[in-house]
Amino acid sequence: MKATVPITVASLKVACSQCNLVELCLPFGMSENEIDRLDELVGARRKIKRQHHLYRAGDAFEAIYAIRAGSFKTDVLLEDGREQVTGFQMTGEMLGLDGISTELHSCNAIALEDSEVCVIAYGKLEELSRVVEGLQHQFHKVMSREIVRDHGVMTLLGSMRAEERLAAFLLNMSQRFTARGFSAAEFHLRMTREEIGSYLGLKLETVSRAFSKFQEEGLIAVQQKHIRILNIGGLKKLIHHPSPRA
Amino acid sequence: MKATVPITVASLKVACSQCNLVELCLPFGMSENEIDRLDELVGARRKIKRQHHLYRAGDAFEAIYAIRAGSFKTDVLLEDGREQVTGFQMTGEMLGLDGISTELHSCNAIALEDSEVCVIAYGKLEELSRVVEGLQHQFHKVMSREIVRDHGVMTLLGSMRAEERLAAFLLNMSQRFTARGFSAAEFHLRMTREEIGSYLGLKLETVSRAFSKFQEEGLIAVQQKHIRILNIGGLKKLIHHPSPRA
DNA sequence: CGCTGCGTTGAGACGATTCAAAATATGTGG
DNA sequence: CCACATATTTTGAATCGTCTCAACGCAGCG
């Protein structure tokens, strides 16, 4: 993947220290001094149009990416054509960590809307994190957080039923929107029912039915991709109180 | 697995450089010089009896662990008592990476048999990996590999049916036993049907039925926890050729 | 205005779960 | 080392949840 670099942007080198996402992104928790040193790390920004790939499974791994604007999904394609969405990423979150292990990306990263990422050359990151302690530690935390998140998804896929899964998904989205200064109760989903379904291990019809059911029960108001949460407690209860059994 | 070391404990400091697991464990790919420096890292070994916890969800995070002998499962307990097994770990694999993000362990690690781990103080690891490049890189790879593995499990849970899941599980075990110098075709599972089921998002009865079906079809021979694979190709086919649809 | 993609809803089919019982290991104390 | 108690596994039958297939509605766009 060639860095389209020059184009439109990024010639005017933008710095982490100037970025309003510091509190969500890699620099989180680092000192001002340390953050200043990060600026040499973020080589360029790259714009990705909706539906376009940031990288593909099999691509050589060279950099990780921090989402500056927009959102992405990552997915894995099975030989037989089945797709598994492994995650949805929003501003401040990192993409590409999967590539370190084999030096090849192991999944696809696709923009859900026109987006922009900061390109962090991996070699440089290792180098710099040998000197900047805070960076090293923060990077480890980011990777570890990804592992913990994945365990959460495994739990969801392994032991929850359809409605619990969707409730967990909505609560998670709400929480992440909140962290970005948006409303916890009202937001716009960037992904289709099919993508949600793939992520949750459900068919799109099942996702749609669950949305409808939640609406009937007054838990949420749905209008296409626009979601309004009317009863957070009700959603939470769904997860922790599996309706009939056990 | 031979314990070259006396019994009881690790008073006589055992070194990575002397360990026969170098090729599976953290030191993999590091130079001899680098590996020598690792010896200062592995503080002690710790024995864990079958069914005992190495650590619990909520415990303060202080170290990661390399399995020297034996095997473990990691699991997450839901509020309502449901258990999700998030992984099975064998010799040379690392435990505890989940704890870095919050400085608290986020899952339980339980020995499936009497086992022994090398304790790697996390602070020391960060310190040393600032100087030993190979260690830094290797550690990142280990974390990344964990992420990739988790994506594989998500794929399994999200888009495979019961028999495909079990086939994938058996092939994965076979491959890992092979990497450890054991037979690819014949091995002993250390976990119960219920634990396998939890890991695969299935009930133990479903797991048992799938085992029986595989046996009827001549794919494997099962005797309790002892498994003999008779037709690897058949198992692989199951995964890539979902029987009826799609 | 008529595409085309996305979302909703219904009816029937199918796979995994639940409940139940029996068979087989495993562990313990005498 | 046996005998009993407990845990694990297997198997069957009925139930239930999600999927499949299909039709229709709605929105956005050329």
Side-chain angles (χ1 to χ4, degrees), chain A residues 164-196:
Chain A
E164 297 175 63
R165 295 184 199 183
L166 187 64
F169 170 74
L170 289 173
L171 290 170
N172 177 260
M173 290 309 268
S174 164
Q175 184 252 305
R176 286 155 80 195
F177 278 118
T178 308
R180 282 158 186 76
F182 298 110
S183 164
E186 195 162 0
F187 47 83
H188 193 82
L189 298 175
R190 298 324 277 235
M191 65 296 284
T192 66
R193 299 287 190 263
E194 183 166 26
E195 287 163 336
I196 298 174

Side-chain angles (χ1 to χ4, degrees), chain A residues 161-162 201-203 205-206 209 245:
Chain A
R161 16 191 72 263
L202 302 169
K203 293 295 159 190
E205 296 96 327
T206 306
R209 279 186 246 272
R245 81 192 100 291

Side-chain angles (χ1 to χ4, degrees), chain B residues 74-147:
Chain B
T74 47
D75 70 11
V76 174
L77 263 14
L78 273 341
E79 298 77 352
D80 52 50
R82 285 179 288 187
E83 176 198 35
Q84 176 68 34
V85 171
T86 54
F88 298 114
Q89 296 79 20
M90 328 196 346
T91 51
E93 296 177 334
M94 310 291 299
L95 281 162
L97 301 174
D98 58 278
I100 301 173
S101 76
T102 57
E103 327 233 333
L104 295 175
H105 284 289
S106 67
C107 61
N108 304 291
I110 298 143
L112 294 174
E113 59 193 307
D114 293 358
S115 302
E116 190 179 13
V117 298
C118 297
V119 180
I120 303 172
Y122 179 65
K124 267 197 200 165
L125 175 67
E126 285 207 334
E127 208 177 288
L128 195 60
S129 70
R130 257 174 257 134
V131 231
V132 181
E133 260 184 65
L135 174 60
Q136 178 195 40
H137 192 60
Q138 197 46 37
F139 180 58
H140 290 171
K141 281 197 171 190
V142 166
M143 296 210 88
S144 176
R145 194 179 311 140
E146 175 72 17
I147 292 173

